[in-house]
Structure formats: structure tokens, C-alpha cells
Amino acid sequence: MGAALQVLGCIQTAVQLCNEVYKVVNEPVSEEEAYLDEGRETGEIYVLICALDYKRTSNPLTCTIDGQNVQKLLSACGVPRENITVMYDEQCTKEAVLEAISEVGGQCGEGDYFVFYYSGHGTSIKDYSGDEADGKDEAFCFVTDQGQITYDSLLSDDDFAEAVTSGVSDDAKIIILTDCCHSGTIADFKSGGWENHKAISIAGCTDEQTSGDIGRGGIFTHSMLLAIAELASQGETDYTVGRLYNTTLAKDDAVFNSAQDIAIQCSPGMLPKNMAWPLVPQGGYTPPYGRRSLE
């Protein structure tokens, strides 16, 4: 154990000294607090939710349930309704989502949070920029006005990264949550533009894997909500993104025992312990999966 902690410490030091991208897959990370600012109490929280069921395709999902569950969490956390933008199904064209990222992200100032949550299909496409070692870009499967997935409706990780880094001030904090297949590096932190941003991504699986849908939403989202509820039941009101990630891993293992590997990644020089988790319920909170288990 001591040797493992020493290696972890060396990796974290290297990330910060060399401004590297920190990435961990399905393994606990450091939970200690080393905030780069005053923590969770600073600024406003702005959230963009995108969730699609693909009802007009041959591969439907139940992702709008995830979006609704995240909306309920935001209400429990006291996030003002005017700070929340929700897009479902055919509202989620690539053009509309890019516009929403610019509009919502543009409201974020110093100390604010920009939280991007996505639940839907994810895919891999040919990498034309040459920045991917495996020759593939990851992409969000947005839809046309008719609810169909086409190549032109896909939003590549390159274009997503450009939209977020150009739309959100580098004084703000960014959290990217993706419950979709092939999403481990979908934030594309190794692309240019992220160097001066404080950002962390938690993805439901690696680039090579698929994310599970249990018929009532995604495994990653349910695991995350269970984790938030457990920390709230313990009276925790101030903890790092790293601790939320670790608790999410534990819930996935204990409740779903899924084959997918939940991944966390940070923008250059950032670590999970450098950012406070912003979505903490203000009172009692029961996660949707917990409610079903009690019925």
C-alpha cells in the first residue's frame, strides 16, 4: 500500500510540474483537499443537460430519465432554475448544443462552475487532426431535426473541446459528465486550448467500451447519484471531485458490478483534489435508484 501511494504521489507531482493530463480508469484517486481557490462556496453553478432517447431510430435508450434525475438533483442542491438549461431528444442538434454551450458557458465568470452533463449514444470516428494515438476521435451522437443520427449530426471531441474552451472563461471551473459509450477521453484534454482552464471530466466508460443502460437510465448516472446521496447521508458538505469519483466507483461495484470502467481525466496540470464537487444536496436527498429499491 505504501509503495502504491508513493507512486500515486509521484504521478501527481509530475502532472503538476510538467502540466500533463491526469487520467485514471476504474481506480481510486487521492481524496485530500488541495483546492486552487476558496472551494465550493465561490460563485454560481451553471448547468447544461443534454439527454436523448433516440425514439425515432432503431437503437432507443432511456437517457431522458437520466436528465430528469439530474434535474431533481440540481433542485435538491439549490441550483437556481434560471441557471439550468435542459435539452432533450430533437432539441439536441449539433448546432443547437454548440449554441447552448456558448450561451451557458458565456455566463460563467470567476469562481463559477460550468457543468456539462450528457446522456446518450457515443461513438468513435476517424481522426483527421492527427491528435489521437489510436487514429479515432470520440463523438457525441446528437441528432437531426428529424431525430436521426447522421455523420453531420455528430459532435467530435475536437469540436466539443473548442466550443467549451472558447465559450467558458478560464476563471471558471468546468465539470464534464458523460454517460455514453466510447467516452473516456471525449473531453479531449490533450488538444490545444485547455492549458489555462480548470476542468475535470468523469466518463461512464473508456474509449473502447460501451456504457450500460438498465432500462431506467444509465449505470454511471445512477452510481453517481447513489454516491452523492451516501455522502450527504454522512453529513459531508465539502469534498473533492476525487472523493465523488471514488464513491461512484464503489457504488458501481456494489450495486451494478458492471463491466464498464468509469474514468476520470483532468485538464493539463489539474488533479481531482484541486476542485470541490459543486452539487451537494442542501437537505435530505434520496436517489432514484434508492427509491425503487425501497418500494
Side-chain angles (χ1 to χ4, degrees):
M1 177 66 74
L5 291 175
Q6 187 174 24
V7 170
L8 177 62
C10 291
I11 292 173
Q12 293 179 352
T13 301
V15 165
Q16 294 187 309
L17 289 178
C18 302
N19 212 37
E20 295 290 334
V21 171
Y22 179 84
K23 178 184 176 183
V24 170
V25 176
N26 209 41
E27 294 288 343
V29 300
S30 173
E31 296 184 354
E32 65 176 315
E33 295 178 8
Y35 298 152
L36 301 181
D37 55 19
E38 297 179 12
R40 188 176 68 88
E41 298 304 324
T42 62
E44 296 282 335
I45 301 171
Y46 296 92
V47 184
L48 173 58
I49 296 172
C50 298
L52 301 91
D53 286 342
Y54 308 97
K55 297 173 184 176
R56 299 185 183 182
T57 75
S58 59
N59 296 293
L61 296 174
T62 59
C63 296
T64 58
I65 292 176
D66 287 329
Q68 292 161 7
N69 287 336
V70 172
Q71 282 187 266
K72 292 173 183 175
L73 169 69
L74 298 177
S75 177
C77 295
V79 178
R81 182 64 189 88
E82 60 269 23
N83 289 9
I84 304 168
T85 299
V86 180
M87 304 175 70
Y88 288 143
D89 296 321
E90 285 73 46
Q91 294 175 322
C92 295
T93 65
K94 179 171 71 173
E95 295 76 17
V97 171
L98 288 172
E99 183 177 346
I101 290 174
S102 177
E103 181 178 339
V104 178
Q107 298 178 64
C108 299
E110 183 175 1
D112 293 339
Y113 280 90
F114 172 69
V115 180
F116 178 84
Y117 172 82
Y118 174 82
S119 184
H121 282 306
T123 191
S124 297
I125 58 177
K126 182 177 176 59
D127 169 33
Y128 289 101
S129 65
D131 66 337
E132 301 283 354
D134 62 358
K136 297 178 181 179
D137 276 334
E138 283 59 58
F140 299 93
C141 294
F142 294 119
V143 294
T144 65
D145 292 331
Q146 292 72 43
Q148 300 300 306
I149 302 171
T150 68
Y151 184 83
D152 289 337
S153 74
L154 302 178
L155 178 61
S156 71
D157 53 8
D158 291 344
D159 292 339
F160 174 73
E162 181 179 357
V164 176
T165 56
S166 62
V168 183
S169 166
D170 57 14
D171 291 328
K173 292 168 280 192
I174 300 169
I175 293 179
I176 299 165
L177 306 169
T178 52
D179 197 343
C180 63
C181 303
H182 311 294
S183 58
T185 64
I186 205 164
D188 206 21
F189 285 140
K190 290 188 176 181
S191 67
W194 283 110
E195 289 81 2
N196 297 319
H197 285 80
K198 299 180 284 292
I200 300 178
S201 165
I202 304 179
C205 65
T206 67
D207 290 347
E208 299 77 25
Q209 294 177 325
T210 58
S211 283
D213 183 313
I214 65 171
R216 301 188 303 275
I219 289 175
F220 163 59
T221 299
H222 279 300
S223 298
M224 179 182 70
L225 297 178
L226 286 166
I228 292 170
E230 177 168 300
L231 291 167
S233 71
Q234 296 171 354
E236 299 291 347
T237 59
D238 186 7
Y239 50 89
T240 65
V241 176
R243 184 167 185 191
L244 183 278
Y245 172 73
N246 290 349
T247 312
T248 300
L249 290 184
K251 287 300 178 184
D252 176 34
D253 289 342
V255 178
F256 301 105
N257 192 27
S258 73
Q260 64 197 65
D261 296 322
I262 300 173
I264 188 168
Q265 194 174 23
C266 305
S267 58
M270 279 287 293
L271 294 169
K273 65 181 181 180
N274 294 151
M275 189 183 296
W277 175 254
L279 303 178
V280 177
Q282 295 181 346
Y285 172 69
T286 302
Y289 198 85
R291 283 199 296 270
R292 289 192 184 91
S293 67
L294 291 173
E295 291 173 353

